[in-house]
Amino acid sequence: MSDWTYEMLRYAFSWNDESSEKALKYVVNGRSPAESMSEFQMLDILLLTVLTEKDEVERTSALVFLEEHGKSLIFDEQRLHKVYFVLENILGSPVDGQGMTYSLKSQVLVTYTALLIQFNTFETDVARFEGFVDLLYSIAKHTNKSADRILRAYACECLHELESWHPGLLFPLLGEDWQVPPIWAQGMTATSTISSVGANTLGRLVNDELLHIQESYARLFFTTIQHFTEQLVQEALRHQPEERQELDFTPLATPGSSRPGTPPGLTPRNGGGIPASPEAAWVAPPARSEAVFRFHIPRNCHGGPEFAFDLAAEQTPPRLPRKLVRTMTRSIGLVLDAMPTSSSWTKIFIAERLSLFVRVLALPQRVVFHHFSPLLHASRPSLLHAFMVVNALFAKEVDRSVAEAVVQRLFALVQDAAMEPCFRLLSVSWLTALSAAQSFDLLWARVQELCPRWHDPLELKEMKLQALLYCFKISKVLPKNLLIVLESLSEFKHCQRPVGAHAVVFRFLLRVLIDFPSEMDRLEVPQALCDMLRSHLFLLPSVLALKQRVNSQAVQYKLLHSLGHFVSRLEPPSRIQRYFGLLVILSETQWLDPSYVLTALHRLVFCPSCLTWEAGMRVLITCRRIILSHPQAVIYQPMLRLLQHLATYQSDVDLRDRALLYMRCFNHAVVFRFVFVFHVFPILGHFIG
């Protein structure tokens, strides 16, 4: 057995220790060492496990593995049909509570759905695809049965997945109330079916279901009507004849050539004539058939995953038939009424997709807020997020009292130390987003509460600092003592590596330099950086990184000017030798005045007790950098004095000789020859310096 095959098998059957031991016993150890196992054999073992194994956990694990690695195990249509046959065999078996349970069948539905999508059965095997959708619908339509509630919930989720991959697939399940006359959407094709879905529409199922799985029905129904509205609005925007206004009060009927329960389509799938004129297709609806409903893919369904569509802010929504608008409004109300028993993620799912309905149906704010306003005081972030999404939809219509209540609630969450840090982080993010969409003055009035506190988590401190900079940038008012907010991050002074509080502080300073370059002197940012270096030399790489990250040359000049002034006045002079890295950077900057570096070197050299051999060699290296980077006329006198002092009074013979050599080269060699010696002959340059 290859290592890859063994790992796949072990992953398939090792959800827990017991199933792992069974896998080793029945699958791995049961085969001879000389016998190899190919992917073909492994698929057979998986199917045999699904059919005959008594342990439900092991069977479910095999189904999950088949779902995730179907492309690697199934190579041809024959083996794919074999897998379908096994799955259909399980779905057709009666539930006995021991070898066959509803939870196992539910996983079979999920695996079957995944394989249909992976192998594009929508195009390659239409009959099987339609039959499976029909099976899912037949399971889901039997509402309020407690025994199979898990199976029905999974059937709804599978239908939802198929509708998401093929928008328009479930339009026939909406019912006859969703019919649209062709004159309202020219270019969209009317379809027809042999039988009608009857009374068991998706909306009826949502209304009838009383168990907790109602949210699965509601989410499926909401996604289907969302796709319906998106397609109808797009087609209505493309074709807006003036004669629609004449039909504004005309009762709707069902076109004779249209499938009941199906809205206008995009393009025909299997042929079918389009009437020469809309009036020719506009006939009375046929009598409801008593035949059993059989699902068929509507012609307006297209393959591929769903894509987001929404009206632009300046775009006027089209006028739709009044009867259809009433149907849509009732449907949205039905979905919103089911929200109290739905999970938090279902609430977010609905809230994020309400925008189009709010625009098209002109839903009033009070109606939508009636369902979401209780979430403002929820104790879970996901519930509050759903409210914030809806609040953003009506940013320009929210009352002042509501906006104040929202801001008050968010500030209370930010300051509540008992809350989870992630909830407090989200609250700060919501505050900044809310101020961008609504009145900024509510946030600005309490901006001091955004200052980080010493007991806040580090991530929250950084988020608060970002919110402060956002507020100051919008208000264009910057306090002079802004850097005082860093006192709550004083632990950065003891963090050697640029992580944690160290990184947070310098990211904040970098944002200050980028967003407020003209205010850096008033904020005393250079002085603050020099004070950091005075007592914590290990911060030097981070300070120099600020200079590299800032794009403004004026800011770079001010930073280096302040650092040069700082290092040239250090007391006592013996401390200067700790800052040779900074001196080299300053000496190599051609547009910076070299007097700062020369002053620092003079103070160090003329303090004999401080100048060791190592310090003297670093002084010479710095001198060489200055000579290579600056004009000779600018540095001649101070450099000559420095080298002459080293060559005359230095006790170490090595330092005297090197200083004398530098002085002779500096006095008698032409500058470009001096540069040539150090750069073209690196060995000689290394020997000299």
Side-chain angles (χ1 to χ4, degrees):
M1 183 190 304
S2 64
D3 293 339
W4 181 79
T5 305
Y6 176 76
E7 289 296 331
M8 293 183 72
L9 272 178
R10 188 177 65 172
Y11 170 72
F13 301 102
S14 60
W15 274 23
N16 53 44
D17 295 338
E18 182 181 358
S19 58
S20 176
E21 292 177 0
K22 290 183 178 180
L24 293 174
K25 178 180 178 181
Y26 295 109
V27 179
V28 180
N29 296 338
R31 307 180 62 83
S32 61
E35 185 179 4
S36 62
M37 181 181 297
S38 66
E39 286 76 14
F40 295 95
Q41 294 170 321
M42 186 168 63
L43 179 61
D44 294 338
I45 292 177
L46 285 173
L47 297 179
L48 188 63
T49 302
V50 172
L51 279 174
T52 62
E53 182 60 42
K54 295 182 180 180
D55 187 0
E56 183 178 345
V57 174
E58 191 170 342
R59 300 172 77 180
T60 304
S61 303
L63 288 170
V64 172
F65 180 74
L66 183 61
E67 170 191 345
E68 295 181 353
H69 301 280
K71 285 285 188 178
S72 302
L73 298 174
I74 303 174
F75 305 98
D76 51 36
E77 291 292 330
Q78 182 179 1
R79 299 185 67 80
L80 180 60
H81 290 167
K82 181 178 181 180
V83 175
Y84 286 147
F85 175 79
V86 172
L87 299 181
E88 290 168 359
N89 185 287
I90 297 177
L91 291 175
S93 302
V95 175
D96 55 10
Q98 298 178 357
M100 186 63 60
T101 61
Y102 284 116
S103 59
L104 179 63
K105 284 193 171 185
S106 301
Q107 184 57 50
V108 171
L109 293 180
V110 174
T111 304
Y112 206 122
T113 303
L115 293 177
L116 290 180
I117 295 174
Q118 290 179 28
F119 293 94
N120 194 23
T121 315
F122 178 81
E123 297 289 346
T124 59
D125 195 348
V126 177
R128 182 180 300 278
F129 190 91
E130 292 178 343
F132 184 67
V133 175
D134 207 11
L135 172 65
L136 294 175
Y137 172 69
S138 64
I139 295 174
K141 70 179 181 180
H142 299 290
T143 58
N144 295 323
K145 290 186 177 181
S146 179
D148 64 344
R149 62 189 183 278
I150 297 178
L151 182 64
R152 291 189 290 112
Y154 272 79
C156 290
E157 296 299 335
C158 292
L159 287 172
H160 184 272
E161 186 70 13
L162 293 175
E163 172 64 25
S164 299
W165 275 89
H166 309 287
L169 177 69
L170 303 183
F171 288 176
L173 305 183
L174 291 177
E176 299 177 358
D177 290 339
W178 292 81
Q179 291 300 312
V180 180
I183 196 172
W184 285 87
Q186 292 181 357
M188 297 182 72
T189 306
T191 57
S192 62
T193 57
I194 300 176
S195 58
S196 169
V197 71
N200 293 321
T201 62
L202 293 180
R204 177 69 178 273
L205 299 181
V206 176
N207 187 62
D208 291 348
E209 182 61 52
L210 301 178
L211 300 179
H212 70 278
I213 63 170
Q214 184 190 25
E215 68 169 311
S216 298
Y217 286 89
R219 191 164 53 245
L220 171 63
F221 181 51
F222 183 79
T223 301
T224 306
I225 63 177
Q226 176 196 358
H227 292 166
F228 177 91
T229 307
E230 289 176 351
Q231 289 193 19
L232 181 61
V233 168
Q234 291 181 75
E235 289 300 324
L237 290 175
R238 294 193 190 102
H239 311 280
Q240 295 186 355
E242 296 181 359
E243 56 267 21
R244 287 182 186 167
Q245 300 178 4
E246 303 175 1
L247 295 179
D248 197 17
F249 293 93
T250 305
L252 295 182
T254 305
S257 62
S258 174
R259 173 188 307 194
T262 306
L266 294 175
T267 54
R269 282 180 52 86
N270 300 316
I274 301 177
S277 63
E279 291 78 4
W282 191 245
V283 295
R288 181 171 295 178
S289 174
E290 298 298 332
V292 178
F293 173 74
R294 288 290 180 265
F295 178 83
H296 296 282
I297 298 177
R299 295 175 183 173
N300 56 322
C301 176
H302 57 86
E306 61 175 314
F307 58 92
F309 168 78
D310 201 353
L311 293 170
E314 67 281 355
Q315 196 170 13
T316 303
R319 298 182 62 186
L320 301 178
R322 290 190 176 183
K323 181 180 179 181
L324 181 61
V325 170
R326 290 195 297 268
T327 302
M328 289 182 176
T329 305
R330 288 196 300 268
S331 300
I332 293 298
L334 179 62
V335 173
L336 294 179
D337 288 338
M339 278 204 337
T341 59
S342 301
S343 65
S344 57
W345 299 113
T346 298
K347 292 180 173 69
I348 295 177
F349 179 86
I350 295 173
E352 291 178 341
R353 290 161 175 78
L354 274 179
S355 175
L356 181 63
F357 296 103
V358 170
R359 296 284 304 281
V360 173
L361 304 179
L363 296 178
Q365 172 216 347
R366 63 182 184 277
V367 174
V368 180
F369 261 62
H370 169 74
H371 297 277
F372 285 91
S373 56
L375 304 182
L376 176 60
H377 299 281
S379 58
R380 285 189 293 175
S382 53
L383 295 177
L384 184 56
H385 178 70
F387 171 82
M388 297 303 300
V389 171
V390 173
N391 184 72
L393 296 178
F394 301 97
K396 299 180 180 179
E397 306 175 22
V398 174
D399 296 337
R400 181 76 176 185
S401 59
V402 176
E404 292 176 354
V406 173
V407 173
Q408 174 65 29
R409 173 61 175 163
L410 293 178
F411 269 108
L413 291 174
V414 170
Q415 306 301 346
D416 189 357
M419 283 291 175
E420 296 181 3
C422 61
F423 202 174
R424 301 172 70 185
L425 286 171
L426 287 173
S427 300
V428 177
S429 179
W430 288 328
L431 276 173
T432 55
L434 184 65
S435 63
Q438 298 178 358
S439 56
F440 174 74
D441 57 334
L442 294 176
L443 177 60
W444 180 250
R446 308 178 60 173
V447 68
Q448 293 185 357
E449 298 183 30
L450 290 176
C451 295
R453 302 180 180 181
W454 66 270
H455 54 75
D456 289 336
L458 182 61
E459 296 82 2
L460 181 59
K461 291 179 181 178
E462 183 170 17
M463 184 66 74
K464 285 185 174 182
L465 291 176
Q466 294 180 14
L468 283 175
L469 291 182
Y470 168 80
C471 294
F472 296 142
K473 191 174 182 179
I474 297 298
S475 65
K476 299 180 180 180
V477 177
L478 198 63
K480 183 179 180 179
N481 60 340
L482 173 62
L483 299 187
I484 200 174
V485 300
L486 298 180
E487 291 183 355
S488 62
L489 290 158
S490 58
E491 64 269 21
F492 84 94
K493 299 178 181 179
H494 308 283
C495 186
Q496 299 283 341
R497 299 176 58 216
V499 295
H502 184 150
V504 170
V505 168
F506 281 92
R507 280 197 293 263
F508 174 75
L509 293 174
L510 179 61
R511 293 188 183 99
V512 171
L513 294 176
I514 293 176
D515 294 339
F516 310 101
S518 60
E519 301 287 341
M520 61 178 299
D521 290 332
R522 191 173 71 89
L523 297 176
E524 300 180 350
V525 176
Q527 293 85 331
L529 294 176
C530 293
D531 292 340
M532 293 179 187
L533 292 180
R534 193 183 307 275
S535 55
H536 303 89
L537 182 59
F538 63 85
L539 297 176
L540 179 60
S542 299
V543 174
L544 295 177
L546 291 179
K547 175 257 180 184
Q548 296 293 335
R549 295 289 183 178
V550 175
N551 298 324
S552 173
Q553 292 185 356
V555 174
Q556 293 179 355
Y557 175 79
K558 289 182 180 180
L559 287 177
L560 292 182
H561 174 79
S562 300
L563 293 175
H565 188 270
F566 155 75
V567 75
S568 65
R569 294 177 176 269
L570 270 175
E571 292 292 346
S574 58
R575 296 186 59 192
I576 296 177
Q577 59 185 334
R578 301 174 56 194
Y579 294 85
F580 273 116
L582 177 58
L583 291 174
V584 171
I585 296 296
L586 296 175
S587 63
E588 291 179 341
T589 307
Q590 298 180 359
W591 42 265
L592 187 66
D593 186 1
S595 62
Y596 298 117
V597 181
L598 290 172
T599 301
L601 295 180
H602 272 270
R603 296 183 64 208
L604 184 60
V605 168
F606 285 89
C607 182
S609 61
C610 306
L611 196 62
T612 61
W613 179 88
E614 182 180 1
M617 295 303 297
R618 292 183 177 181
V619 168
L620 291 176
I621 291 174
T622 308
C623 291
R624 184 179 65 179
R625 296 296 182 184
I626 296 175
I627 294 173
L628 293 175
S629 303
H630 297 276
Q632 187 178 16
V634 176
I635 63 174
Y636 183 78
Q637 291 184 356
M639 181 60 67
L640 186 61
R641 182 187 176 194
L642 179 64
L643 295 176
Q644 188 175 9
H645 181 83
L646 285 174
T648 305
Y649 299 103
Q650 181 55 239
S651 59
D652 189 281
V653 64
D654 190 15
L655 291 178
R656 288 202 312 268
D657 291 345
R658 289 174 183 259
L660 182 61
L661 178 61
Y662 274 36
M663 186 174 61
R664 289 176 178 175
C665 292
F666 186 63
N667 279 326
H668 304 292
V670 183
V671 175
F672 76 89
R673 292 181 182 175
F674 193 77
V675 176
F676 180 80
V677 168
F678 279 106
H679 286 283
V680 178
F681 297 100
I683 299 178
L684 179 59
H686 179 72
F687 174 76
I688 294 176

